[in-house]
Amino acid sequence: MFLHYLGRRNTKMKEQVQEVLNKLRPFLLRDGGDVELIDVDENGVVQLRLMGACGNCPSSAITLKAGIERALTTEVPGVTEIEQVF
């Protein structure tokens, strides 16, 4: 029963994360990049892959932490941090 609850919670959190990413996506696309949601774990850690120009941009860490992480932790309850997946 508890695992079923965690699965539903995780699915809802993934949906909320995707909604926020969809709001941010136009800004990334404008610079020739994009972002892909890889996973959200039970601890609220969101794994993302930056793609296109954002994938090898020297400012990608700032984009993740100052931009995407701030938006996700503010708008999605339970998100604790962002990890970049290469």
Side-chain angles (χ1 to χ4, degrees):
M1 179 78 171
F2 181 71
L3 291 177
H4 182 67
Y5 167 77
L6 284 178
R8 274 197 323 240
R9 179 176 168 248
N10 195 25
T11 299
K12 182 176 180 179
M13 190 181 296
K14 281 183 182 179
E15 290 171 0
Q16 291 174 320
V17 166
Q18 194 61 59
E19 286 177 23
V20 173
L21 293 177
N22 287 340
K23 291 179 194 176
L24 299 174
R25 185 165 278 115
F27 300 103
L28 298 171
L29 291 171
R30 184 178 58 209
D31 291 331
D34 203 354
V35 63
E36 176 185 14
L37 174 61
I38 303 300
D39 196 19
V40 179
D41 74 14
E42 65 277 355
N43 297 315
V45 177
V46 177
Q47 295 178 333
L48 300 175
R49 177 178 294 126
L50 291 175
M51 301 181 307
C54 292
N56 58 7
C57 174
S59 299
S60 65
I62 295 169
T63 299
L64 274 176
K65 292 293 181 181
I68 297 173
E69 184 174 77
R70 182 178 297 157
L72 289 174
T73 56
T74 300
E75 295 190 38
V76 182
V79 170
T80 56
E81 71 176 297
I82 305 300
E83 289 182 354
Q84 185 173 3
V85 176
F86 296 96

